[in-house]
């Protein structure tokens, strides 16, 4: 039933309110103040009765239906919001254009409604797009085989690999590689970059080790001045920092290339799905044993190097501390 509040009285033209005693013509539906209708004595549209005439409110008095998605006013008979496209009576909202979404997030006072923007993103934005893209083949390999190879942390890697493939990026920050360097690659069974980065790290440590030999007056000390060794150690320290940053930026890209190559080889060698999955799990995943083995080897090398130090260990301890 139509609500006549806000419509004009058909006799006096004044706006009808909630407190008014309103009567309606049974033939055409025109509203009146009861007192106005009694004074008039009949409907002002009586001459049109019987011709199919039906009273309709003026456009300015038609009730508005506020969109639950963006709050924009719409005619009560509207089926879709004229501002954002929301379908009235449905739980699903038609995805508004990006420009409209940004405009909806603007507040009347000129500020920015971050809550609305966050809700719009949750409703159909970044997270859903990321989840959908993670199911797409990466480097021509199905996501389920990637997941089998990568292990428990596959969702995060698939999301990063998918974004790297989508935008053609080679860099994606990896804090594990940034902090632990070669140990990250050993943990992820990426043997080639693991040994390469380990060899680079040891090479960059060589000037400092030679400096320790000179300071300890070892018989194995090279015939190089202390100032030269100090300069080389400083250069090596800068280079070591640069290698650490590069490792953190490109570790995922290197891991992705090596993993993709290994998965393709396994696909070619094991066409049977069940056997292929078993091999993917065995050759993929992570290896704590490799990490422990490398750390143990480094401790042993440190112990062996300490045997080469000379008698002046106080100078060495002073440098270390």
């Amino acid at each position: 039933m139509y609500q006549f509040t806000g419509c004009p009285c058909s006799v006096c033209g004044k706006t009808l309110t909630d407190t008014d005693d309103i009567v309606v013509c049974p033939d055409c539906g025109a509203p009146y103040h009861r007192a106005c209708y009694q004074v008039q004595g009949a409907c002002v549209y009586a001459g049109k009765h019987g011709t199919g005439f039906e009273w309709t409110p003026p456009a300015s008095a038609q009730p508005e239906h506020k969109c639950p998605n963006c709050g924009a006013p719409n005619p009560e008979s509207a089926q879709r919001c004229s501002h954002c496209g929301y379908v009235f009576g449905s739980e699903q909202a038609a995805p508004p254009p990006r420009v409209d979404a940004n405009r909806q997030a603007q507040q009347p006072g000129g500020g920015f409604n971050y809550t609305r923007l966050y809700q719009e993103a949750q409703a159909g934005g970044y997270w859903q797009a990321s989840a959908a893209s993670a199911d797409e083949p990466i480097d021509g390999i199905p996501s389920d085989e990637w997941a089998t190879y990568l292990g428990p942390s596959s969702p995060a890697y698939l999301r990063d690999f998918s974004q790297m493939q989508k935008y053609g990026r080679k860099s994606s920050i990896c804090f594990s590689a940034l902090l632990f360097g070669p140990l990250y690659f050993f943990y992820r069974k990426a043997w080639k970059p693991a040994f390469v980065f380990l060899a680079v790290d040891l090479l960059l440590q060589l000037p400092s080790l030679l400096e320790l030999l000179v300071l300890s007056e070892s018989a194995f000390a090279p015939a190089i001045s202390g100032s030269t060794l100090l300069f080389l150690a400083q250069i090596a320290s800068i280079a070591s920092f640069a290698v650490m940053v590069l490792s953190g930026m490109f570790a995922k890209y290197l891991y992705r290339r090596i993993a993709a190559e290994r998965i393709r080889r396994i696909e070619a060698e094991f066409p049977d799905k069940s056997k292929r999955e078993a091999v993917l799990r065995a050759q993929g995943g992570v290896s704590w044993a490799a990490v422990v083995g490398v750390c143990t080897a480094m401790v042993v090398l440190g112990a062996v190097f300490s045997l080469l130090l000379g008698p002046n260990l106080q100078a060495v301890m002073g440098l270390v501390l």
Side-chain angles (χ1 to χ4, degrees):
M1 180 177 178
Y2 186 78
Q3 300 295 324
F4 295 96
T5 301
C7 296
C9 173
S10 300
V11 174
C12 68
K14 293 182 180 179
T15 301
L16 299 172
T17 65
D18 293 334
T19 58
D20 289 333
D21 186 5
I22 302 173
V23 295
V24 180
C25 174
D27 293 314
C28 67
Y32 300 87
H33 293 108
R34 183 178 295 276
C36 294
Y37 187 80
Q38 291 174 349
V39 171
Q40 184 70 19
C43 178
V44 296
Y45 302 107
K48 299 181 180 181
H49 292 171
T51 62
F53 170 77
E54 182 179 353
W55 177 88
T56 55
S60 59
Q62 290 184 7
E64 295 178 342
H65 179 59
K66 284 192 174 182
C67 175
N69 183 52
C70 68
N74 291 268
E76 190 178 34
S77 60
Q79 297 181 351
R80 184 185 294 270
C81 177
S82 61
H83 186 66
C84 70
Y86 181 87
V87 179
F88 298 130
S90 171
E91 296 298 327
Q92 298 295 330
R98 185 175 300 274
V99 174
D100 289 344
N102 292 336
R103 184 163 53 245
Q104 290 170 23
Q106 294 291 336
Q107 294 177 338
F112 199 82
N113 190 337
Y114 289 97
T115 302
R116 179 178 295 279
L117 188 63
Y118 175 76
Q119 292 172 348
E120 290 168 357
Q122 279 191 317
Y126 173 78
W127 290 277
Q128 290 183 359
S130 297
S133 61
D135 293 332
E136 298 175 356
I138 300 172
D139 296 332
I141 300 171
S143 59
D144 58 340
E145 295 199 354
W146 271 110
T148 303
Y149 180 87
L150 293 172
S153 58
S154 61
Y157 275 99
L158 285 175
R159 184 178 61 250
D160 291 340
F161 289 171
S162 178
Q163 293 297 308
M164 292 168 68
Q165 175 178 261
K166 179 178 179 181
Y167 298 106
R169 295 198 308 256
K170 294 184 178 181
S171 61
S172 179
I173 190 67
C174 178
F175 290 103
S176 298
L178 187 66
L179 295 175
F180 301 107
L183 293 180
Y184 166 80
F185 295 103
F186 281 105
Y187 178 70
R188 278 286 158 190
K189 299 182 181 180
W191 309 121
K192 289 181 181 179
F195 284 105
V196 169
F197 277 102
L198 180 61
V200 171
D201 279 355
L202 293 177
L203 181 63
L204 293 176
Q205 293 296 324
L206 185 59
S208 297
L209 297 178
L210 295 177
E211 188 177 10
L212 292 178
L213 292 176
V214 172
L215 290 176
S216 66
E217 300 177 359
S218 170
F220 299 94
I224 304 176
S225 64
S227 59
T228 301
L229 287 174
L230 179 60
F231 174 75
L232 292 176
Q234 291 174 342
I235 297 298
S237 178
I238 297 173
S240 178
F241 177 78
V243 170
M244 180 185 69
V245 173
L246 291 175
S247 174
M249 291 179 60
F250 296 99
K252 289 183 179 179
Y253 172 72
L254 295 173
Y255 177 49
R256 170 188 158 194
R257 286 188 55 186
I258 291 173
E261 180 182 349
R262 192 173 297 168
I263 293 173
R264 292 193 193 97
R265 186 176 68 250
I266 294 172
E267 288 178 338
E269 295 177 359
F270 299 92
D272 181 71
K273 185 176 179 60
S274 59
K275 293 182 179 179
R276 183 168 65 249
E277 289 181 351
V279 176
L280 287 171
R281 290 192 183 94
Q283 295 195 17
V286 298
S287 175
W288 281 107
V291 175
V292 173
V294 171
C295 292
T296 302
M298 296 300 294
V299 171
V300 172
L301 287 176
V304 172
F305 175 78
S306 65
L307 298 177
L308 303 178
L309 296 176
N312 190 9
L313 295 179
Q314 292 183 350
V316 175
M317 294 302 297
L319 179 64
V320 173
L321 297 177

